[in-house]
Amino acid sequence: MADQNSLIAHLIELRSRVLKAVSSVFVVFLCLVYFAQDLYHWLATPLLEALPDNAQMIATDVASSFFAPFKLTIVLSFFIAIPVVLYQVWGFIAPGLYKNEKRLVAPLLLSSTLLFYAGMAFAYYVVFPLMFAFFTSVVPEGVVNNTDITSYLDFVLKLFFAFGLSFEIPVAIVLMCWTGMTTPAALRAKRPYVVVGVFVLGMLLTPPDIISQTLLAVPMWILFEFGLIVGGIYTKDKNNKNEEEEIQE
């Protein structure tokens, strides 16, 4: 009976946390929906600046001029509310963690959020201008590059997710070292395979041009090396603590 009551209490708390997370996204959405058209124009700026004078974006569906900015606002609301969502996740799992686990998980949640934002910012401010300048420069003669607004939105959202997730490599490395799946030394030994792997991922996650592929692969490689440094520091601290506990015993 006690176990059943405990399970019900956890489910009630989970529902409360989920409602708070969804509410935070909804509140941000209400604040942004009035500016939906402006937000889409901001998102389209890298392409609009790269288009020639005689080209512009178009809406091929009747309702796409409404739904494209609306969809962007929903996705952007979730991105902005991620800190609140992760805080609710932390509030739910924290009571079940040990003290040393709490010291690791809290910084990881914060760093994973910042790294995801950094990946999106890198895509928007660095990758998009170079990539769209390349695409518009290779348009065949006699062809006008009029991009559909819905297709453009789907395209850039995929890149946002790709760059945001790829910037989570240091967090993934620290977690693997923490759980004992691998060690920094073992990952260093696999560095040649990792270099090849990041370029393959860059090829799969980005459009088929060398610029965007390289702009994704190189940061992933740098973040891998940074993850090795952080993972090595954590592994040393963990080993030192284990040795101190053994001495005390």
Side-chain angles (χ1 to χ4, degrees):
M1 188 67 178
D3 293 339
Q4 184 177 0
N5 292 335
S6 177
L7 176 61
I8 294 174
H10 283 301
L11 291 176
I12 292 174
E13 182 182 1
L14 177 61
R15 184 187 65 176
S16 175
R17 297 286 182 182
V18 171
L19 288 176
K20 290 178 181 178
V22 173
S23 298
S24 66
V25 176
F26 183 67
V27 169
V28 176
F29 172 77
L30 290 179
C31 296
L32 296 180
V33 67
Y34 179 78
F35 306 99
Q37 299 292 337
D38 297 327
L39 291 173
Y40 191 92
H41 182 268
W42 169 79
L43 183 70
T45 298
L47 177 61
L48 293 174
E49 292 180 348
L51 289 175
D53 295 336
N54 63 333
Q56 59 185 351
M57 299 184 71
I58 60 174
T60 56
D61 293 330
V62 175
S64 59
S65 58
F66 168 78
F67 282 113
F70 187 81
K71 178 181 177 180
L72 170 63
T73 306
I74 293 176
V75 176
L76 188 60
S77 300
F78 176 74
F79 285 160
I80 294 175
I82 280 180
V84 179
V85 174
L86 291 180
Y87 176 78
Q88 297 302 324
V89 174
W90 168 252
F92 182 74
I93 66 174
L97 299 177
Y98 293 107
K99 186 176 181 180
N100 62 326
E101 293 174 337
K102 290 181 180 179
R103 285 199 300 265
L104 176 68
V105 174
L108 284 181
L109 288 175
L110 176 61
S111 60
S112 63
T113 304
L114 295 178
L115 285 171
F116 192 85
Y117 286 156
M120 293 176 58
F122 181 81
Y124 181 83
Y125 290 106
V126 178
V127 178
F128 287 0
L130 295 175
M131 183 174 58
F132 293 141
F134 170 77
F135 285 160
T136 55
S137 67
V138 296
V139 175
E141 185 178 354
V143 176
V144 179
N145 190 356
N146 291 332
T147 304
D148 176 60
I149 60 174
T150 302
S151 299
Y152 175 79
L153 177 62
D154 294 338
F155 178 79
V156 297
L157 287 181
K158 290 177 182 177
L159 288 181
F160 276 145
F161 277 110
F163 278 86
L165 292 177
S166 66
F167 271 56
E168 301 291 337
I169 289 177
V171 175
I173 292 177
V174 172
L175 285 175
M176 288 190 295
C177 294
W178 176 44
T179 57
M181 292 177 58
T182 186
T183 63
L187 290 174
R188 290 190 188 95
K190 296 180 176 64
R191 182 179 282 116
Y193 303 101
V194 172
V195 174
V196 175
V198 296
F199 277 92
V200 172
L201 283 175
M203 177 184 66
L204 295 175
L205 296 177
T206 60
D209 67 282
I210 191 63
I211 296 177
S212 56
Q213 292 172 8
T214 303
L215 287 175
L216 178 59
V218 172
M220 289 174 67
W221 183 12
I222 295 174
L223 290 168
F224 170 76
E225 299 293 341
F226 177 71
L228 289 180
I229 296 173
V230 177
I233 294 173
Y234 169 74
T235 302
K236 290 179 181 179
D237 292 341
K238 184 178 180 181
N239 292 336
N240 292 335
K241 289 179 182 178
N242 291 336
E243 291 176 359
E244 292 176 359
E245 291 176 358
E246 291 176 358
I247 293 174
Q248 291 176 357
E249 292 177 356

